[in-house]
Amino acid sequence: MDVQLLFRIAGVGIIVAVMATVLKQAGKDEQGQMVTLVGVLVVLMMVVSLLGKFFNLVKATFGMY
Amino acid sequence: MTLQLIGALLTVLVPSWIGFQIAARYARRPAELRAAQNGLAVLVTEVEYGATPLPDALRSAARAAGSAIGAMFADVAHRLEEGGGITPGEALTEVVAGHRDATCLTPGDLETLLALAPVLGASDRRDQVRHLRLAMDRLAAAEAVAADERRRYERMYRYVGVLSGLALVLILI
């Protein structure tokens, strides 16, 4: 399950990188930056629940309630 | 599992197809602009040296232009032959409005053709030829711009189409 998520994030990263390069080559720099930003947001959405779990774990480990 | 695979395939194919369609429009525009110039060149010859009746002149222009643009010239000729007291200018205006979606020309290119409407078959030979040559020059300038756009954007839209399909699959899977 976790490995699948990692691969998915890697795939999104590769595709976003290629797309940004192609757009930049065609002179559409702004759209390229937009694509990069959207990619970052999409990956963040995938990871955000896991991040929450992680912080809960940290809190539980150090007894910070 | 099979259903998921079919869905993923469709999700890749549809944005790719859209990308290829947009790229094809960029590829077709310079060709159509060239075809329009060829048609107008024939029209200039017919008007200047032949003094051919306008419907016949338009038919030979249509043969020279071919495909989508030729269909426009042929349609103008057809409307003129049908009669009904329509002027060549009116026929041209109607045809350009009707064929707007069939061609890949931008509104600016069509405006160049529409600028011929008040003079086509309605003024003396020299004035018509002058306007036709002016339209040809403007189309040639538009063709240079269109060729540059094609070089820059044709490949980009293909790549972006396929890649956005792949990204969609990765996000949804």
Side-chain angles (χ1 to χ4, degrees), chain B residues 54 88 117-124 128:
Chain B
L54 197 53
V119 275
L120 203 64
S123 58
D124 63 32
Q128 285 191 50

Side-chain angles (χ1 to χ4, degrees), chain B residues 14-113:
Chain B
V14 170
S16 310
W17 182 75
I18 294 173
F20 274 78
Q21 286 292 317
I22 297 175
R25 285 187 71 86
Y26 274 100
R28 266 171 57 193
R29 190 171 158 233
E32 287 190 352
L33 285 169
R34 164 118 328 249
Q37 285 175 68
N38 289 341
L40 288 184
V42 169
L43 210 55
V44 166
T45 320
E46 296 280 2
V47 169
E48 195 166 26
Y49 303 109
T52 323
L54 197 53
D56 297 342
L58 284 166
R59 285 226 188 278
S60 43
R63 275 195 296 280
S67 70
I69 304 296
M72 277 173 78
F73 284 116
D75 200 7
V76 175
H78 179 68
R79 274 167 206 245
L80 287 178
E81 278 168 350
E82 256 183 358
I86 195 171
T87 69
E90 286 165 359
L92 183 66
T93 313
E94 279 176 19
V95 166
V96 167
H99 285 241
R100 198 168 280 268
D101 297 329
T103 69
C104 296
L105 300 180
T106 62
D109 305 335
L110 293 173
E111 208 59 51
T112 307
L113 290 178

Side-chain angles (χ1 to χ4, degrees), chain B residues 80-162:
Chain B
L80 287 178
E81 278 168 350
E82 256 183 358
I86 195 171
T87 69
E90 286 165 359
L92 183 66
T93 313
E94 279 176 19
V95 166
V96 167
H99 285 241
R100 198 168 280 268
D101 297 329
T103 69
C104 296
L105 300 180
T106 62
D109 305 335
L110 293 173
E111 208 59 51
T112 307
L113 290 178
L114 279 178
L116 293 172
V119 275
L120 203 64
S123 58
D124 63 32
R125 185 184 292 186
R126 273 213 353 245
D127 190 45
Q128 285 191 50
V129 168
R130 202 170 56 80
H131 275 89
L132 286 170
R133 285 200 201 287
L134 179 69
M136 278 170 69
D137 286 346
R138 284 174 65 185
L139 288 177
E143 190 196 343
V145 175
D148 182 51
E149 278 184 356
R150 174 188 183 177
R151 193 174 49 73
R152 278 183 21 200
Y153 297 139
E154 191 188 3
R155 218 153 45 100
M156 184 199 81
Y157 273 109
R158 282 196 195 137
Y159 272 117
V160 167
V162 174

Side-chain angles (χ1 to χ4, degrees), chain A residues 10-58:
Chain A
V12 171
I14 290 168
I15 286 171
V16 163
V18 174
M19 218 194 257
T21 317
V22 168
L23 284 167
K24 206 168 179 177
Q25 233 175 24
K28 289 191 181 279
D29 292 33
E30 285 166 38
Q31 279 84 343
Q33 279 171 358
M34 189 77 91
V35 165
T36 315
L37 189 66
V38 168
V40 169
L41 284 179
V42 164
V43 170
L44 205 63
M45 298 277 262
M46 287 177 180
V47 176
V48 80
S49 66
L50 292 178
L51 272 179
K53 251 190 238 170
F54 170 69
F55 283 127
N56 276 335
L57 190 70
V58 170

